[in-house]
Amino acid sequence: MKRIKTLILVFALVLFNSCSEGKKDTMSNSEPQAVSNKFLNRVEPPNWWVGFNNPELQLLVHEPGIGKAEVEVSYPGVELKDAHKARSLNYLFIDLEINSNARAGKFDLVFKFESGEEKVHTYELKEREQAAADFIGFNSSDAIFLITPDRFANSDPSNDSFEDLKQVGIDRTHDYKRHGGDIKGVIDHLDYIDELGYTAIWPCPLLINDMPQGSYHGYAITDLYRIDPRFGQLNDYLELSEQLRGRGMKLIMDQVANHCGLEHWWMKDLPFDDWVNNQKRYEENKDNWNWENTKFSNHRRTTNQDLYASEIDKQGMTDGWFVDAMPDLNQRNPFMAKYLIQNSIWWIETAKLGGIRQDTYPYPDKDFMSEWAGSIMNEYPNFNIVGEEWSYNPLLIAYWQKGANNKDGYDSNLRSTMDFAMQRKVVEAINEEESWDKGLVKIYEGLANDFIYPSPRDIMVFPDNHDMSRIHTQLNEDFVNTKMALATFATLPRTLQMYYGTEILMNDTAKPGDHGLIRTDFPGGWEGDLVNAFTGKGLTKDQKEMQQFMKAVLNFRKSSEAIHNGQTIHFAPENGTYVLARIIDAETVVLILNKNEQPVTLDLNRFAEIGLKGKSLKNIISGESFSWGEEIRFEGRGVTLLTTNLD
Ligand code: CA
């Protein structure tokens, strides 16, 4: 084997030691151990691969006093380029270059201390198991099932609680405590999800939230490389991914680049002065850190696009903390930036992901976000990422989509963003009484905004999500209106996402908008549940009918090329009716919304340009056939979904 020159870097011993002063931090003050450790406390990413486009790899090493060590690496094809000390001497950041001739295998990182002591950590470069081009991200052919994992199904009661975690126990009577749901609960019910017609799953974050409160939701991550043991182990996550792929379904990982949980391990020993934003304020008050002394984000998300935004507003938006329990990560620190990018790639490669959903997209440094998304897409050309921009303004949503013609030249590298705007338009369209500028015209004019999107079909639309009132509540628990809305979302030129339990009319009507209630336990997910939506036991007639309705719509959508990629033609609403067609060579799909309670007849001659005259169509919901002639009659309010595909 060809021997590659080994680089040895030598560092000055102690430049400064500001971290440990005045703080009770045993790690910072401890002397190097006399006995070698085979494995260090923490080396991240825990492994890497050969064969990436980007040869660079930066390891974060966290180990008492490791900043005082010199590091040596000897492995063919791997070059030690640099090693960086941090403010805390318990860190070392090591730059490696993995050349194209490097082979998969293990090698030692050897850390030498002045005392003569050595510590060794064996690091592994793995072979890539799947071609880069085969990481296919979700797209407009997908219907994505969003799950709050703590609330879906508890298949493993033995992992409900751990004494060594900060929030102990489960309490299903409490909306904000843990309920015990887990990854195995999702795996065990993949048949149900698959049969409903979903093609992808987006679970809210499954990484550990070792937080004293509210750990169930997943957005206060305390270790970016560890699955929360209350959800399962890494193997369970990989099993979920494998089983999904076996069904031709995709696993979308919910990631958070903006913030971490206050109990994140690095918060006790921050590597640099600027690892998190407003760090000085935090460090000065950390023993009494609370809501009052937190510098919050101003949540003025428009500062990202605003040509006139002041610096103080921009900074207030990106550098403030989301909440006091979630430190705001500083992605302008280049080590943090690399850490986050590599973390995302590590998960894509490890779990063979079918996409990432990135939380709170406008909150991190936007240039970093472009670099983050670009770095991922550079390795996985067919991958997909959706960013959460909670805005009802299509201009702001469009700004974040790759290819947008932005005045400031910004390109996000992001294929998908979330369509809060259209979500609201559909709800208004159905709830409002019809008039010139109210009711169904909201859908008509909402879709007219699509000219601003580089790619409308890559934008993700949804009736609701884990942060919003459930669609059935938004529609005042009107059964027919809920059907109308769901069929509309499924037919729009968009990528589709729906929340678990929509199919059984789950609602938060008792306390509209209450997060804990929105994330109600899925009935049947817990042993002893009186109602079981998986089997149908105890469901009401309406719930069963809605399950069948969604099954029909989503399974149809799964194979409808017209919905995935067809052109869209729609007609201005008239007399409380709205017609939208999706057309591709071999198939035309027609959605008709009718808000009239009394029988009404629609003259089909107005729709001649969609070319259906004399053709046979199938009603997707009833299965009945329909011949497109002069008119169509509706007996009452409702939705009709027709296709020319008679198979
Ligand atoms: Ca459990």
Side-chain angles (χ1 to χ4, degrees):
M1 274 204 298
K2 192 177 149 202
R3 190 91 183 148
I4 300 294
K5 190 176 124 195
T6 302
L7 285 175
I8 303 173
L9 295 176
V10 183
F11 297 100
L13 264 177
V14 182
L15 288 176
F16 57 91
N17 190 2
S18 60
C19 176
S20 55
E21 274 183 352
K23 276 185 243 158
K24 191 186 173 191
D25 189 333
T26 51
M27 287 191 69
S28 303
N29 295 321
S30 64
E31 289 303 312
Q33 306 279 309
V35 182
S36 294
N37 292 340
K38 185 65 185 165
F39 294 100
L40 305 190
N41 178 48
R42 209 176 265 281
V43 176
E44 291 176 347
N47 67 275
W48 204 243
W49 292 264
V50 292
F52 280 127
N53 291 335
N54 179 5
E56 292 174 11
L57 171 65
Q58 182 171 79
L59 302 178
L60 175 155
V61 180
H62 189 228
E63 172 75 6
I66 201 72
K68 297 178 187 174
E70 304 161 23
V71 60
E72 296 177 11
V73 170
S74 174
Y75 189 72
V78 175
E79 277 186 68
L80 176 62
K81 304 296 284 188
D82 208 348
H84 310 267
K85 300 165 80 69
R87 180 188 76 171
S88 163
L89 287 172
N90 303 318
Y91 288 87
L92 200 56
F93 291 84
I94 300 171
D95 292 342
L96 299 177
E97 193 170 290
I98 318 292
N99 294 319
S100 54
N101 63 335
R103 296 227 179 130
K106 293 179 179 175
F107 60 89
D108 285 343
L109 299 161
V110 180
F111 298 89
K112 294 187 171 175
F113 293 84
E114 199 181 45
S115 63
E117 186 212 356
E118 280 189 8
K119 289 188 180 185
V120 176
H121 184 91
T122 303
Y123 197 78
E124 183 173 11
L125 290 175
K126 295 183 177 177
E127 200 75 58
R128 298 183 70 184
E129 293 177 358
Q130 185 171 294
D134 293 341
F135 287 75
I136 310 289
F138 58 87
N139 56 49
S140 55
S141 73
D142 284 306
I144 297 154
F145 191 63
L146 167 62
I147 300 172
T148 297
D150 182 56
R151 305 295 167 84
F152 185 62
N154 184 7
S155 280
D156 184 3
S158 77
N159 66 13
D160 288 357
S161 179
F162 292 89
E163 289 300 319
D164 60 344
L165 296 182
K166 294 181 180 68
Q167 189 176 27
V168 177
I170 62 169
D171 181 358
R172 290 185 66 200
T173 67
H174 197 294
D175 285 343
Y176 290 86
K177 293 195 174 162
R178 293 196 82 100
H179 291 193
D182 43 45
I183 296 170
K184 191 163 188 310
V186 180
I187 292 172
D188 285 351
H189 296 103
L190 287 181
D191 279 346
Y192 175 79
I193 299 165
D194 195 354
E195 284 165 16
L196 273 170
Y198 287 100
T199 60
I201 289 182
W202 154 25
C204 293
L206 292 161
L207 298 182
I208 187 166
N209 279 221
D210 189 11
M211 298 291 287
Q213 287 157 9
S215 68
Y216 79 96
H217 60 63
Y219 292 94
I221 296 164
T222 55
D223 185 336
L224 286 155
Y225 282 100
R226 188 181 172 202
I227 297 288
D228 197 308
R230 292 163 292 195
F231 291 136
Q233 303 296 322
L234 176 61
N235 278 344
D236 297 306
Y237 190 60
L238 301 185
E239 169 82 14
L240 173 63
S241 177
E242 192 179 334
Q243 290 214 16
L244 284 166
R245 279 180 281 117
R247 293 167 183 267
M249 296 170 74
K250 294 163 184 148
L251 176 61
I252 298 168
M253 187 173 184
D254 198 337
Q255 298 192 345
V256 190
N258 181 62
H259 51 260
C260 63
L262 192 61
E263 299 294 335
H264 191 288
W265 61 264
W266 60 39
M267 293 306 292
K268 289 169 187 63
D269 183 16
L270 289 160
F272 296 98
D273 286 328
D274 60 350
W275 195 245
V276 301
N277 290 317
N278 289 294
Q279 184 169 322
K280 189 159 181 280
R281 187 188 185 104
Y282 168 71
E283 289 183 331
E284 284 170 358
N285 295 285
K286 68 187 287 187
D287 294 333
N288 181 36
W289 188 246
N290 56 35
W291 190 266
E292 276 74 34
N293 54 32
T294 303
K295 179 79 173 170
F296 292 108
S297 169
N298 60 22
H299 299 286
R300 292 297 177 194
R301 295 187 289 269
T302 53
T303 53
N304 283 304
Q305 293 91 353
D306 188 347
L307 300 177
Y308 316 124
S310 57
E311 282 306 315
I312 193 171
D313 286 352
K314 286 185 190 178
Q315 203 186 340
M317 169 61 199
T318 57
D319 291 3
W321 290 26
F322 203 75
V323 294
D324 59 336
M326 294 177 179
D328 195 67
L329 304 178
N330 178 19
Q331 304 86 7
R332 289 178 303 260
N333 177 308
F335 300 97
M336 171 62 83
K338 275 208 172 73
Y339 185 91
L340 293 172
I341 290 168
Q342 292 178 167
N343 179 257
S344 293
I345 290 173
W346 189 87
W347 280 110
I348 296 169
E349 193 72 19
T350 297
K352 301 186 176 70
L353 296 178
I356 289 174
R357 177 265 184 185
Q358 180 60 255
D359 193 49
T360 50
Y361 212 81
Y363 286 82
D365 180 77
K366 72 178 187 183
D367 293 324
F368 163 75
M369 289 315 293
S370 172
E371 188 194 342
W372 173 81
S375 300
I376 291 169
M377 298 308 289
N378 175 47
E379 299 294 350
Y380 306 98
N382 300 318
F383 198 67
N384 200 1
I385 304 165
V386 59
E388 180 205 25
E389 160 72 282
W390 192 323
S391 170
Y392 298 106
N393 181 348
L395 298 178
L396 302 189
I397 297 169
Y399 179 86
W400 297 110
Q401 193 174 36
K402 181 183 169 64
N405 186 20
N406 292 324
K407 207 162 186 174
D408 63 2
Y410 185 75
D411 194 338
S412 68
N413 291 312
L414 191 64
R415 264 176 65 190
S416 183
T417 71
M418 285 192 176
D419 200 352
F420 284 85
M422 204 61 209
Q423 187 280 334
R424 176 179 272 186
K425 294 291 181 198
V426 171
V427 169
E428 288 173 349
I430 289 170
N431 275 342
E432 290 173 357
E433 283 219 19
E434 290 297 299
S435 69
W436 169 253
D437 60 353
K438 288 206 165 51
L440 293 170
V441 72
K442 293 288 179 71
I443 297 175
Y444 186 69
E445 292 188 350
L447 280 179
N449 289 322
D450 277 17
F451 74 90
I452 202 71
Y453 298 130
S455 177
R457 72 182 178 190
D458 283 321
I459 292 181
M460 188 181 289
V461 80
F462 47 90
D464 58 23
N465 65 26
H466 58 298
D467 290 327
M468 301 174 80
S469 229
R470 282 186 173 267
I471 187 68
H472 197 44
T473 293
Q474 292 190 49
L475 295 168
N476 307 310
E477 297 206 23
D478 185 296
F479 183 62
V480 174
N481 283 354
T482 302
K483 280 184 172 177
M484 289 169 74
L486 296 179
T488 303
F489 287 116
T491 314
L492 294 175
R494 292 289 188 275
T495 301
L496 178 67
Q497 170 250 299
M498 296 210 193
Y499 197 26
Y500 78 100
T502 302
E503 72 279 11
I504 52 161
L505 301 167
M506 278 170 63
N507 66 80
D508 54 304
T509 309
K511 280 185 280 179
D514 180 84
H515 280 185
L517 187 58
I518 289 164
R519 305 158 184 175
T520 298
D521 292 351
F522 191 79
W526 279 254
E527 202 182 333
D529 281 358
L530 295 177
V531 174
N532 187 335
F534 297 118
T535 63
K537 180 191 157 201
L539 291 181
T540 66
K541 179 177 157 293
D542 279 358
Q543 286 177 313
K544 284 182 182 169
E545 190 179 328
M546 188 57 84
Q547 271 184 333
Q548 288 308 313
F549 176 83
M550 284 192 56
K551 210 176 202 174
V553 171
L554 294 181
N555 277 291
F556 165 69
R557 190 189 190 282
K558 196 192 282 189
S559 58
S560 173
E561 268 289 311
I563 293 182
H564 305 165
N565 297 315
Q567 65 172 123
T568 304
I569 299 175
H570 64 162
F571 299 83
E574 278 184 5
N575 306 321
T577 62
Y578 169 70
V579 175
L580 174 140
R582 302 296 313 282
I583 303 169
I584 207 159
D585 305 337
E587 184 191 16
T588 297
V589 172
V590 184
L591 172 85
I592 308 174
L593 300 178
N594 169 35
K595 291 171 76 174
N596 296 286
E597 298 288 356
Q598 303 303 321
V600 65
T601 300
L602 207 56
D603 180 354
L604 296 180
N605 289 312
R606 183 180 166 220
F607 315 108
E609 69 190 86
I610 57 177
L612 291 178
K613 186 134 194 172
K615 290 202 173 158
S616 291
L617 292 94
K618 185 173 76 177
N619 184 320
I620 286 138
I621 296 142
S622 69
E624 292 166 357
S625 56
F626 172 75
S627 178
W628 194 275
E630 294 294 315
E631 58 183 38
I632 184 169
R633 180 179 165 87
F634 300 107
E635 295 305 322
R637 183 166 55 97
V639 57
T640 304
L641 196 53
L642 302 167
T643 177
T644 56
N645 185 354
L646 304 177
D647 294 342

